[in-house]
Amino acid sequence: MLTSEALTLYRAHQDHKVAMGIIRASTRGNNLQLLTELGVLREALVAELMPRDFEQLMAHSAGHWGACRLRQFRHFINGWLGWLEESGYIQHRPKTGKMETPRYRPVPKQVYTPAELRQLWDAGNGLTRSLLGLGLFAGMNCADVADLTEEYLQGQWMVQPRTKTGIPRRAFLPSWVVSELSFPMRTTRGVIHRRQVSTYWRDTTRRLWGAPRPFTALRTTLRTVAGHVDAEALE
């Protein structure tokens, strides 16, 4: 587990990056939660950590992240330790060892089978079907859905910049998906927000199959299982 000292210094580093505009406050919270949940670093002062601690952390993280995210994490750890040394929190930065990352994703991303997609569509209401279509054909994440407005829908084309990167996106939606869309998108509790998208989807899949499934697995499904399918051909 991370010690209280390590968590305090980790939080200080994240606050510094937020203040410098390097990361957003929401990213800081996600990083802290994820690193805490991994809970692999042994109970010791930061300056006393050994290479095996960081190598163990990297090995454990490989079950949660892909190779790209693991490379970023390695650079972040080194940056964090360097900042602690420069700021005077520690006298000498501990050695991290190689912290090698795999050349491929050790644990495949979750995907949905055609039968599961059909079951979701048949059993779902308008919101479930809308989320299914937006995730599968437009590759949307939770923030994209929460940011969605009617002006982005041009006929059967969804023209919306990605919330995460700002990169323009233009995706064709089948007519049977468009017919299910309503703006703003709502749950029984009101207009849907980013966190509610994930919660709603996990609750829906839990009721259907007994275990929650991630919303973001929808955009992985079309790319991984079916390849680059032309949505217009599905009309």
Side-chain angles (χ1 to χ4, degrees):
M1 294 289 293
L2 280 170
T3 63
S4 58
E5 182 224 29
L7 284 174
T8 299
L9 296 182
Y10 180 88
R11 189 177 291 110
H13 181 235
Q14 292 285 288
D15 290 341
H16 169 73
K17 295 182 74 172
V18 171
M20 295 295 292
I22 301 174
I23 62 174
R24 295 180 295 182
S26 59
T27 303
R28 171 187 57 189
N30 292 337
N31 286 344
L32 181 61
Q33 179 183 4
L34 197 51
L35 192 60
T36 304
E37 288 176 353
L38 290 177
V40 195
L41 293 181
R42 64 188 177 88
E43 295 184 2
L45 298 177
V46 174
E48 297 177 358
L49 293 173
M50 303 294 290
R52 64 173 178 271
D53 296 308
F54 295 101
E55 291 168 1
Q56 183 184 9
L57 175 62
M58 182 63 74
H60 188 76
S61 303
H64 298 260
W65 300 324
C68 181
R69 182 68 178 87
L70 288 171
R71 285 193 294 270
Q72 294 174 346
F73 183 61
R74 179 184 60 193
H75 291 308
F76 166 76
I77 289 293
N78 288 324
W80 173 46
L81 296 176
W83 179 80
L84 291 178
E85 186 178 21
E86 292 173 2
S87 302
Y89 288 105
I90 56 178
Q91 295 296 323
H92 302 286
R93 57 184 296 175
K95 296 181 179 180
T96 59
K98 295 183 178 180
M99 292 184 68
E100 295 183 350
T101 58
R103 298 179 62 183
Y104 60 90
R105 173 174 289 276
V107 179
K109 287 185 176 181
Q110 295 191 46
V111 296
Y112 294 93
T113 66
E116 289 173 334
L117 294 174
R118 169 56 66 181
Q119 191 177 4
L120 271 168
W121 182 268
D122 290 342
N125 56 19
L127 178 57
T128 300
R129 293 181 174 185
S130 297
L131 294 177
L132 174 60
L134 293 172
L136 188 61
F137 295 108
M140 289 191 175
N141 60 23
C142 298
D144 294 330
V145 172
D147 187 57
L148 195 60
T149 60
E150 191 171 5
E151 65 182 19
Y152 292 132
L153 184 62
Q154 301 176 8
Q156 288 183 242
W157 289 93
M158 185 61 70
V159 183
Q160 177 200 34
R162 286 203 63 192
T163 307
K164 182 177 180 180
T165 61
I167 298 176
R169 169 179 45 200
R170 188 168 184 264
F172 184 86
L173 300 177
S175 58
W176 35 274
V177 172
V178 174
S179 64
E180 299 290 342
L181 297 177
S182 61
F183 303 95
M185 303 187 73
R186 294 176 176 271
T187 65
T188 55
R189 298 182 179 181
V191 177
I192 198 166
H193 300 289
R194 180 177 66 86
R195 292 186 181 277
Q196 292 175 323
V197 175
S198 177
T199 301
Y200 175 85
W201 189 262
R202 288 181 176 275
D203 288 345
T204 299
T205 53
R206 183 186 291 109
R207 287 194 298 268
L208 196 58
W209 297 312
R213 302 282 292 278
F215 173 68
T216 51
L218 286 171
R219 60 180 179 180
T220 308
T221 299
L222 192 65
R223 182 173 64 248
T224 305
V225 178
H228 296 283
V229 173
D230 184 359
E232 293 182 83
L234 300 178
E235 286 293 330

